[in-house]
Amino acid sequence: GAMLRAIARHRITFAGGMPVMINALINHPDAASYDLTSLKHFAGGGDCVPLEMQNRFRQLFGVVVDELCGMTEVMYCNQPVNLGQRRAGSIGKPFGDVRIRLEDADGNEVPDGEVGEIVVFSGAVTLGYWNDPENTKLALRGGGMHSGDLARRDADGYLWFAGRAKD
């Protein structure tokens, strides 16, 4: 309720949240009574945002939920909208200098359609964790940031979040 009130009262144009938060918004008993016409963009992430949840959000508030994938160690590594193209349920494609490799548990690249860990290669990847060489070595093995997030890639290069390998 507090978030719905804040968006309506302050005419917020961009907001976001994890699926549990989106679920709370769409299931609030008075959700439909709030004027959220100022809201132009809503980013969802942190876990899979089911299409049913995205569709309900759009029905109630008139806004598409854009799924994002990123982490502090690499900033954002993908964008859900590429040259005006959106695929519902996809977390998009890498952008800028970002290259994403999907790897199996042995570090082998998985083919399109199979689930693998998202490994990010970019000039924006962290140099390491402060005073933690052991975790730095583990996270940055092979020159990319091992995110712990899982995804599959379709034949057009779009990524589809599939869960987490670690929390």
Side-chain angles (χ1 to χ4, degrees):
M3 186 169 184
L4 292 168
R5 284 189 299 279
I7 293 169
R9 181 179 304 129
H10 300 291
R11 309 299 298 153
I12 292 170
T13 59
F14 178 88
M18 296 178 69
V20 67
M21 300 163 153
I22 297 169
N23 192 52
L25 293 172
I26 64 176
N27 287 303
H28 187 278
D30 299 320
S33 69
Y34 289 92
D35 175 10
L36 302 190
T37 55
S38 65
L39 192 61
K40 303 300 179 209
H41 302 284
F42 193 93
D47 205 341
C48 293
V49 183
L51 283 177
E52 303 81 35
M53 190 180 288
Q54 293 182 40
N55 291 337
R56 181 71 179 135
F57 193 92
R58 189 176 66 246
Q59 284 176 330
L60 278 170
F61 307 124
V63 177
V64 172
V65 174
D66 284 321
E67 283 191 82
L68 300 178
C69 181
M71 56 192 298
T72 303
E73 293 90 332
V74 297
M75 302 296 289
Y76 286 106
C77 57
N78 73 328
Q79 58 185 6
V81 180
N82 292 282
L83 303 175
Q85 297 176 342
R86 173 181 275 119
R87 295 210 178 159
S90 170
I91 56 174
K93 292 182 176 182
F95 69 96
D97 78 335
V98 176
R99 185 172 63 84
I100 293 178
R101 177 179 157 103
L102 301 180
E103 295 184 358
D104 64 18
D106 296 322
N108 301 307
E109 188 165 13
V110 300
D112 288 352
E114 290 190 22
V115 173
E117 181 182 10
I118 297 172
V119 183
V120 181
F121 298 84
S122 166
V125 169
T126 184
L127 298 176
Y129 296 113
W130 180 256
N131 289 331
D132 193 347
E134 184 178 320
N135 278 320
T136 296
K137 184 177 177 181
L138 183 64
L140 295 175
R141 65 191 182 277
M145 171 54 72
H146 289 255
S147 68
D149 292 328
L150 302 173
R152 66 177 173 80
R153 180 181 289 118
D154 68 20
D156 296 325
Y158 284 82
L159 296 167
W160 303 81
F161 191 77
R164 307 188 87 166
K166 65 178 185 177
D167 282 321

